[in-house]
């Protein structure tokens, strides 16, 4: 773990538990034997070659895809005013006919909140991502990076126990991507949510996560599995320049290349 807040989270009850999960379609199994326990404020990144089943695993963990076998458990939301989980997609998926605040409020509309409370709950995460002054703007007036930050704010507004992120920065230019990576480092300190982060960028995984889960095929024509889980034991604020950063990235690249 990287800091005391994450260490203390390990004494709390898990917010997600997956046991011997196998996934696939019809009679084809594409991912098998997955075990994962996630605690509050933990950040887990999932990497692997294209087509290995990263996004499929994410959908199963979120309850959007039923496992072929095994079970996934996410305890219910703590209150009626929150949700057990939320998701940030590769694209922001903002509604063009809603202003920024209206897009963030979308997930709150099914909760037992007053109009004033929805506004407050929308503006708080917008402030976290630095867009509270853009609340009345239309989505088309924002840059791609700003739109993705609105998507993150929308996911945080429901106060999820688990935040799923499916390659959220993959469509952004390199400068914007690096800026949002740094913002996510700061953001994870200010939310209780655990995060499951899918990425094809190994440096991004090592930069952000407490643990990196590597998916791969141990044998040709066999379902993919978790081939290794690696702890990232570097301070969050010093990783990019840390002497162990490049070697851990290279180690993960080698593992993926061998599977």
């Amino acid at each position: 773990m990287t800091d005391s807040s994450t260490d203390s989270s390990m004494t709390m009850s898990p917010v997600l538990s997956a046991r011997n999960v196998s996934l696939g379609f019809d009679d084809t199994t594409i991912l098998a034997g997955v075990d994962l326990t996630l605690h509050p404020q933990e950040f887990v990144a999932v990497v692997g070659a294209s087509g290995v089943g990263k996004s499929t695993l994410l959908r199963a963990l979120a309850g959007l895809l039923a496992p072929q076998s095994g079970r996934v458990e996410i305890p219910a939301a703590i209150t009626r005013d929150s949700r057990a989980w939320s998701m940030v997609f590769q694209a922001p998926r903002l509604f063009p006919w809603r202003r920024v605040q209206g897009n963030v409020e979308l997930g709150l509309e099914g909760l037992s909140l007053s109009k004033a409370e929805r506004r407050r709950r929308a503006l708080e995460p917008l402030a976290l991502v630095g867009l509270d002054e853009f609340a009345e703007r239309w989505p088309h007036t924002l840059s791609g990076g700003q739109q993705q930050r609105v998507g993150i704010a929308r996911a945080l507004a429901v106060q999820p126990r688990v935040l799923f992120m499916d390659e959220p920065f993959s469509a952004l230019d390199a400068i914007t991507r690096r800026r949002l990576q740094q913002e996510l480092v700061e953001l994870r300190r200010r939310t209780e949510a655990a995060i499951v982060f899918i990425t094809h960028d190994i440096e991004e995984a090592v930069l952000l996560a407490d643990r990196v889960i590597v998916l791969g095929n141990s044998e040709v024509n066999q379902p993919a599995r978790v081939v290794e889980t690696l702890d990232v034991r570097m301070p969050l604020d010093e990783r990019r320049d840390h002497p162990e950063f490049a070697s851990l990235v290279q180690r993960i690249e080698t593992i993926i290349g061998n599977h």
Side-chain angles (χ1 to χ4, degrees), residues 160-180:
R161 303 192 76 187
V162 184
L163 177 61
F164 296 104
M165 307 187 79
D166 190 4
E167 298 194 43
F169 307 146
S170 61
L172 303 174
D173 64 84
I175 294 175
T176 303
R177 182 172 189 154
R178 184 159 179 163
R179 183 183 303 123
L180 289 187

Side-chain angles (χ1 to χ4, degrees), residues 4-257:
S4 58
S5 64
T6 306
D7 287 335
S8 63
S9 75
M10 296 300 292
T11 63
M12 303 174 69
S13 299
V15 294
L16 184 150
S17 178
R19 290 288 176 267
N20 198 28
V21 171
S22 293
L23 303 167
F25 305 95
D26 299 324
D27 295 328
T28 302
T29 300
I30 63 174
L31 191 60
V34 176
D35 293 305
L36 174 63
T37 300
L38 192 64
H39 291 83
Q41 291 189 305
E42 276 195 289
F43 192 123
V44 172
V46 181
V47 299
S50 296
V52 78
K54 299 186 295 295
S55 293
T56 300
L57 175 60
L58 192 75
R59 291 196 294 273
L61 294 177
L64 302 177
L65 177 67
Q68 290 179 323
S69 62
R71 61 188 303 179
V72 176
E73 295 181 354
I74 299 180
I78 298 174
T79 71
R80 295 176 57 198
D81 299 339
S82 63
R83 298 190 186 277
W85 63 270
S86 59
M87 186 166 307
V88 179
F89 299 93
Q90 294 181 28
R93 299 189 179 185
L94 304 182
F95 290 113
W97 58 86
R98 281 180 174 244
R99 297 181 189 270
V100 165
Q101 180 184 321
N103 270 282
V104 177
E105 287 186 13
L106 186 64
L108 300 170
E109 292 175 356
L111 303 178
S112 54
L113 299 170
S114 67
K115 184 176 181 180
E117 183 66 6
R118 287 201 307 269
R119 173 179 171 81
R120 183 189 68 80
R121 287 272 295 270
L123 291 178
E124 284 181 354
L126 279 172
L128 282 179
V129 300
L131 290 178
D132 48 321
E133 295 183 359
F134 292 74
E136 296 303 315
R137 295 273 292 270
W138 296 102
H140 74 271
T141 67
L142 305 180
S143 68
Q146 288 171 330
Q147 289 183 23
Q148 193 64 310
R149 284 152 68 187
V150 174
I152 295 172
R154 179 176 58 196
L156 291 173
V158 299
Q159 298 178 353
R161 303 192 76 187
V162 184
L163 177 61
F164 296 104
M165 307 187 79
D166 190 4
E167 298 194 43
F169 307 146
S170 61
L172 303 174
D173 64 84
I175 294 175
T176 303
R177 182 172 189 154
R178 184 159 179 163
R179 183 183 303 123
L180 289 187
Q181 288 169 348
Q182 185 57 45
E183 289 181 2
L184 187 56
V185 167
E186 297 301 322
L187 185 64
R188 58 171 296 194
R189 292 192 176 105
R190 300 165 71 180
T191 176
E192 292 295 318
I195 299 175
V196 181
F197 189 93
I198 303 298
T199 181
H200 63 269
D201 186 325
I202 299 170
E203 288 193 3
E204 182 172 72
V206 175
L207 182 70
L208 298 173
D210 299 312
R211 284 182 284 156
V212 179
I213 295 174
V214 184
L215 302 182
N217 296 85
S218 298
E219 299 180 28
V220 178
N221 298 323
Q222 293 297 313
R225 295 180 178 273
V226 175
V227 295
E228 194 155 350
T229 300
L230 302 99
D231 291 328
V232 183
R233 301 186 181 279
M234 291 173 272
L236 268 173
D237 291 328
E238 304 171 16
R239 289 191 182 179
R240 206 180 289 274
D241 298 319
H242 197 280
E244 296 179 12
F245 182 84
S247 61
L248 183 55
V249 169
Q250 185 175 29
R251 180 181 173 190
I252 296 172
E253 288 177 344
T254 300
I255 294 169
I256 293 174

